[in-house]
Amino acid sequence: MGEEVVKKPKRKERMPMPEQDPKVRATNFKEVPLGYTEEMAIEEAIRCAQCKVPACVCGCPVNINIPAFIKEIAEGNFAAAARKIKETNALPAVCGRVCPQESQCEAQCVYNRMGRAICIGRLERFAADYERDNNLIELPEKAQPNGKKVAVVGSGPSGLTVAGDLIQLGYEVTIFEAFHKPGGVLMYGIPEFRLPKAIVESEVNYLVQLGVKIQYNSIVGKTVEVDELLGEKGYDAVFIGVGAGLPKFLGIPGENYGGVYSANEYLTRSNLMKAYKFPEYDTPIVMGKRVCVIGGGNVAMDSARTAVRLGADTYIVYRRAREQMPARGEEIHHAEEEGVKMMLLTNPVEIIGDEDNMAKALKCVKMELGEPDESGRSRPVEIEGSEHDIEFDLIINSIGANANPLLTKSTEGLELNKWGYIVADDYGKTSKDNVWAAGDIVTGMATVIEAMGAGRMSAMDIHEKLMGVPKNIEISPEALPDDLECTLPETKK
Amino acid sequence: MYEIVSMKELVPDIFEAVVKAPEMAKKAKAGEFLIVMADEKGERIPLTVADYDREAGTITIVFMTIGKSTYKLSKMKAGDSYYAFVGPLGHASEIKDYGTVICVAGGVGTAPIYPIARALKKAGNKIITIQGARNKDLIFWEDKMASVSDEHIIMTDDGTHGRKGLVTEPLKEILERDGDKVGIIYAIGPIPMMKFSALTSKPFGNLTMVSLNSIMVDGTGMCGGCRCEVKGETKFTCVDGPEFDGHQVDWNLLGSRQRIYLDQEKESLDNYKAEEGA
């Protein structure tokens, strides 16, 4: 099969992934992209140049050996491909779905210059799904128990990564999770149609099979304190990966009316509590006929696409221009395909309620782009006299999060920055002895894979501090030669 | 899993469950709350800690059947287990010597006020309890409240037990008589009862703490569903409360927010009762 490619003179385009039709999927919560078939995966995999110095690996926060797993797919060894990925990433089916590959591994692909980067994310997803769906998951060999105990606070992306890394190195690992389900943002934040919950549970189950213990309904800072974990509970280290967690509100009048949600609440009701299946599940949700989501990030898109599926006429209200939306292009595209409408350069100034304090309209002003601000984006400036009311019966605030003080306030000796985030070095080490932290509670809101990458660093540092094993210094994009040239398939061999 | 050690109906529609939860029992303090889920499809509902036994490792909850979730809880028996039982959450009551404390308990609010009164009594306060309900069949834990009270006034709407009238009447009388000796008032019960207790004490200026039972999801500050307005500022009941200065609470907003899901709650309960009946 490889030879065929060598001879092929024409470079192939990226292999598209089949998706549910927008009209159909706007009425269900099933996953939107359907995944590659085996044939599609092989065809895409054999496009890979197998670069000697693979820049894609540097673009991956957990440094997956991308050429190696793609080679396995090209050769039809799908389960082997999944195992290759799992050497450095315990959550391939999750990452294959939610990573922003276009700005990470695929951005570094030599073919990206021609707009034909290898579809690394789709292949990752394919390999992981193949292994899981065919019951081919095998547990890797673990190191001998080293007698050290580590407590991981939070079972989101960073916590799961730390747990997965340390369990394989011989540690006894217990995750303390506040909710009744694992996964953190993967479970409560990202909707089913983007990341099926059965897949999250399956990837977590892989860690459980490796020996990771999960204590649900345990709120560190309340049910148990960090100092208790390090003291009487006998843990040698504590890793904090609790996420950012506290929703931001706009601070405009009327925000506490009924029918005004934080995106956190809206998505948690729908995703974790399965309110979209009400009344089969007991948790209700305000459905709304005309719904407005305030914000332009990925969470706003998730909220809007959820509202569409719950039958609402849905709008995004964003105070800047489309080009400035922080959401992934793919998410915006999917939202619009499903019927979400954009009200750009529109800034909410007040929520208007009815006689029973339920939201009924949003007062907005129109904006225009002015001089660039400190973020380098043109600052939106209000157009005078442009105030207008737009009728909505459900308003979802999706403008970000602040640091949740629940754990940090109850933990002495943990240095915080002025916004309440934990101060940690590049390896997640905090100011408190034997305590590491990573993910959103250190950096503020970021991506799943960034949290995983940071978790990886913490795991290595914990291993060095507790067992004296020096950290594996990872290659970084800066370390690559400037004149990096990869061999293209047709000239290879 | 969190096993129910004992379960009983205290008075019609009000239930008491003692639950095995050793970690929580070690930490729980008066005024804090917890979140309970009956089963995997259940809602996460907040309940104030009604009692704890550190040695036995148990937590006591008391709830009234209102919607599907509380009906589900009421059907569970000793030996059954809750799917989730999380806490303790929120801030504990500030226990210190205030001098004289008035504890106003309305209906099911008797349960959360009991451990507060007990702790305040232990701290040296003189406790005046005003315990109210619609009629004598709905008064529970009278003996428990009596055991921690220096003065214990029972009020019923119909006069079938104690005095006839609302809890606000003796509250006003005591404040008129001895208001300057009252260091703090605790008023816990249904929203109208807390609201009118706060309105009654406001002219006297005595600090009046109320415990809000806002609708919640996570209970840790993550969703903001439990927000309320206190002194014109947005507060989260879960992490800023659940106790607030009753004179500063926006009661109308709170009442409206409790009604957000009224239609769905009714639908849910009707479906449940139909299924149960079938």
Side-chain angles (χ1 to χ4, degrees):
Chain A
M1 229 176 281
E3 282 170 359
E4 197 189 332
V5 175
V6 172
K7 285 174 199 154
K8 219 165 212 170
K10 196 166 164 282
R11 288 175 203 138
K12 282 195 172 175
E13 296 296 325
R14 284 161 65 84
M15 173 66 71
M17 173 137 63
E19 288 178 351
Q20 270 199 77
D21 180 80
K23 283 207 180 63
V24 176
R25 73 186 193 230
T27 63
N28 69 49
F29 275 82
K30 289 187 201 132
E31 195 174 10
V32 170
L34 301 169
Y36 280 160
T37 60
E38 293 177 27
E39 294 72 27
M40 287 171 171
I42 291 174
E43 203 177 323
E44 180 63 14
I46 55 181
R47 283 208 306 128
C48 174
Q50 294 291 318
C51 302
K52 285 202 183 66
V53 184
C56 52
V57 178
C58 314
C60 171
V62 294
N63 305 110
I64 293 171
N65 189 342
I66 293 166
F69 96 76
I70 290 182
K71 187 159 185 282
E72 295 286 8
I73 294 179
E75 289 168 1
N77 306 323
F78 306 135
R83 275 163 218 150
K84 181 53 78 180
I85 300 169
K86 282 181 171 172
E87 286 175 9
T88 54
N89 179 357
L91 311 172
V94 170
C95 290
R97 287 170 165 81
V98 304
C99 272
Q101 290 97 7
E102 69 280 2
S103 59
Q104 297 179 340
C105 53
E106 293 178 14
Q108 303 292 329
C109 176
V110 283
Y111 291 154
N112 191 42
R113 293 171 218 170
M114 296 159 268
R116 284 193 289 255
I118 303 297
C119 298
I120 300 168
R122 293 170 185 173
L123 289 173
E124 180 183 26
R125 169 192 160 140
F126 168 79
D129 286 358
Y130 181 91
E131 186 197 32
R132 186 188 65 252
D133 294 343
N134 293 288
N135 295 317
L136 295 170
I137 294 177
E138 274 178 20
L139 297 179
E141 256 182 59
K142 286 200 294 184
Q144 285 299 309
N146 62 18
K148 301 282 183 193
K149 274 171 75 178
V150 176
V152 172
V153 187
S155 65
S158 71
L160 291 175
T161 303
V162 171
D165 284 2
L166 294 182
I167 198 81
Q168 296 197 51
L169 290 168
Y171 291 81
E172 191 184 323
V173 182
T174 303
I175 300 179
F176 293 83
E177 167 56 47
F179 275 129
H180 51 281
K181 291 272 184 191
V185 72
L186 306 173
M187 193 58 87
Y188 72 74
I190 303 175
E192 177 78 18
F193 53 82
R194 216 150 68 72
L195 178 62
K197 301 310 144 205
I199 287 173
V200 178
E201 293 198 68
S202 159
E203 300 222 316
V204 172
N205 193 36
Y206 171 73
L207 297 179
V208 171
Q209 285 177 1
L210 278 170
V212 173
K213 288 180 221 135
I214 306 182
Q215 212 162 307
Y216 294 106
N217 306 309
S218 287
I219 300 171
V220 176
K222 284 288 178 187
T223 316
V224 63
E225 315 274 336
V226 171
D227 282 318
E228 239 180 301
L229 293 172
L230 290 169
E232 61 190 87
K233 304 263 180 199
Y235 288 93
D236 299 288
V238 172
F239 171 81
I240 302 169
V242 294
L246 212 60
K248 259 188 211 165
F249 286 88
L250 287 160
I252 60 175
E255 266 186 312
N256 294 330
Y257 288 140
V260 183
Y261 279 131
S262 69
N264 267 4
E265 179 176 8
Y266 186 66
L267 292 173
T268 302
R269 282 182 180 273
S270 180
N271 301 332
L272 176 75
M273 304 310 294
K274 304 225 186 300
Y276 70 90
K277 290 185 178 172
F278 179 89
E280 183 199 340
Y281 281 74
D282 296 344
T283 302
I285 193 164
V286 176
M287 307 284 263
K289 291 189 178 66
R290 255 176 80 91
V291 176
C292 140
V293 179
I294 302 168
N298 289 322
V299 177
M301 299 306 144
D302 283 345
S303 303
R305 296 173 69 194
T306 298
V308 164
R309 283 162 174 78
L310 291 173
D313 185 16
T314 308
Y315 297 79
I316 293 264
V317 168
Y318 183 56
R319 68 194 186 107
R320 298 178 188 254
R322 174 186 297 265
E323 304 69 51
Q324 299 169 313
M325 281 189 163
R328 286 177 78 186
E330 188 185 321
E331 300 304 323
I332 300 171
H333 171 70
H334 274 145
E336 289 196 301
E337 267 189 343
E338 290 163 12
V340 174
K341 282 149 275 190
M342 304 287 167
M343 290 183 172
L344 303 166
L345 290 164
T346 304
N347 195 31
V349 292
E350 185 184 345
I351 294 166
I352 300 160
D354 65 12
E355 60 288 341
D356 197 28
N357 296 321
M358 291 293 288
K360 66 170 188 183
L362 187 66
K363 191 182 284 297
C364 294
V365 290
K366 294 297 286 179
M367 310 296 273
E368 59 189 356
L369 293 180
E371 295 297 306
D373 62 13
E374 61 277 8
S375 72
R377 299 182 294 181
S378 296
R379 185 196 298 275
V381 185
E382 184 180 333
I383 301 174
E384 254 182 73
S386 64
E387 207 170 83
H388 57 292
D389 293 352
I390 315 165
E391 272 187 37
F392 291 114
D393 55 355
L394 172 57
I395 294 165
I396 301 162
N397 243 315
S398 179
I399 55 161
N402 292 320
N404 190 329
L406 202 73
L407 178 145
T408 52
K409 259 171 69 180
S410 74
T411 308
E412 265 178 58
L414 198 57
E415 192 189 337
L416 308 178
N417 69 16
K418 63 176 171 175
W419 298 283
Y421 292 102
I422 298 174
V423 175
D425 68 14
D426 290 348
Y427 294 97
K429 184 68 191 60
T430 70
S431 58
K432 190 173 172 70
D433 282 351
N434 301 315
V435 177
W436 281 258
D440 286 6
I441 193 60
V442 173
T443 58
M445 268 177 94
T447 61
V448 166
I449 190 71
E450 283 168 313
M452 292 177 65
R456 160 75 28 83
M457 294 294 177
S458 293
M460 287 194 301
D461 203 40
I462 291 170
H463 194 42
E464 182 174 300
K465 294 277 161 56
L466 296 188
M467 297 303 293
V469 180
K471 283 189 281 285
N472 200 357
I473 304 302
E474 304 282 349
I475 42 169
S476 68
E478 292 80 47
L480 289 173
D482 291 337
D483 59 345
L484 177 72
E485 281 288 341
C486 279
T487 335
L488 300 176
E490 58 267 37
T491 57
K492 208 175 163 188
K493 283 190 186 171
Chain B
M1 295 302 258
Y2 308 86
E3 193 192 329
I4 302 168
V5 178
S6 75
M7 173 81 180
K8 64 180 166 198
E9 190 166 7
L10 294 169
V11 292
D13 300 332
I14 295 180
F15 295 81
E16 175 196 295
V18 178
V19 185
K20 196 102 194 147
E23 294 280 337
M24 205 193 305
K26 247 190 273 173
K27 293 278 165 67
K29 290 192 281 293
E32 291 175 324
F33 70 96
L34 54 89
I35 298 245
V36 59
M37 268 177 98
D39 55 40
E40 198 175 355
K41 293 183 177 181
E43 249 181 306
R44 293 171 66 93
I45 58 168
L47 291 171
T48 313
V49 171
D51 208 349
Y52 47 82
D53 184 331
R54 303 206 198 285
E55 314 241 297
T58 58
I59 294 276
T60 302
I61 54 172
V62 171
F63 56 91
M64 183 159 61
T65 47
I66 298 169
K68 180 182 178 183
S69 296
T70 40
Y71 267 91
K72 263 187 179 176
L73 291 180
S74 76
K75 300 284 178 208
M76 296 178 78
K77 299 178 211 57
D80 292 346
S81 288
Y82 297 134
Y83 177 70
F85 200 67
V86 198
L89 293 163
H91 292 285
S93 309
E94 196 181 338
I95 304 299
K96 61 177 190 187
D97 191 354
Y98 295 95
T100 298
V101 178
I102 306 178
C103 292
V104 190
V108 75
T110 302
I113 222 165
Y114 166 66
I116 299 172
R118 183 176 58 189
L120 288 168
K121 170 82 181 161
K122 210 174 156 193
N125 293 281
K126 178 186 176 193
I127 308 290
I128 304 174
T129 295
I130 306 170
Q131 187 178 358
R134 286 205 310 279
N135 59 53
K136 77 170 191 332
D137 296 330
L138 296 175
I139 294 273
F140 67 92
W141 284 12
E142 186 179 344
D143 51 341
K144 282 193 176 197
M145 287 310 298
S147 72
V148 296
S149 306
D150 295 282
E151 204 180 323
H152 188 196
I153 303 161
I154 303 278
M155 300 293 294
T156 48
D157 294 2
D158 62 0
T160 46
H161 188 30
R163 255 174 79 177
K164 183 177 179 199
L166 301 172
V167 290
T168 47
E169 293 165 24
L171 174 62
K172 186 159 180 259
E173 291 160 18
I174 299 164
L175 291 174
E176 278 167 346
R177 189 182 72 209
D178 284 324
D180 53 336
K181 292 184 195 142
V182 175
I184 195 168
I185 300 164
Y186 266 91
I188 306 181
I191 290 176
M193 173 260 158
M194 293 194 284
K195 175 183 171 178
F196 285 103
S197 296
L199 285 175
T200 302
S201 67
K202 200 170 181 184
F204 299 93
N206 300 78
L207 177 61
T208 302
M209 296 305 282
V210 295
S211 179
L212 306 186
N213 195 18
S214 309
I215 295 169
M216 293 185 190
V217 184
D218 60 293
T220 62
M222 203 203 78
C223 84
C226 64
R227 55 198 198 280
C228 56
E229 278 181 26
V230 182
K231 214 175 175 177
E233 277 177 43
T234 297
K235 296 282 177 192
F236 288 8
T237 303
C238 64
V239 288
D240 299 318
E243 292 176 4
F244 294 102
D245 177 351
H247 296 157
Q248 307 289 352
V249 171
D250 182 334
W251 293 103
N252 290 339
L253 182 73
L254 184 74
S256 298
R257 288 193 65 86
Q258 293 301 92
R259 290 191 294 273
I260 294 172
Y261 304 102
L262 215 56
D263 294 343
Q264 282 149 303
E265 280 163 4
K266 190 179 175 311
E267 178 194 348
S268 194
L269 182 60
D270 290 348
N271 285 348
Y272 177 69
K273 283 186 167 171
E275 278 168 33
E276 285 288 294

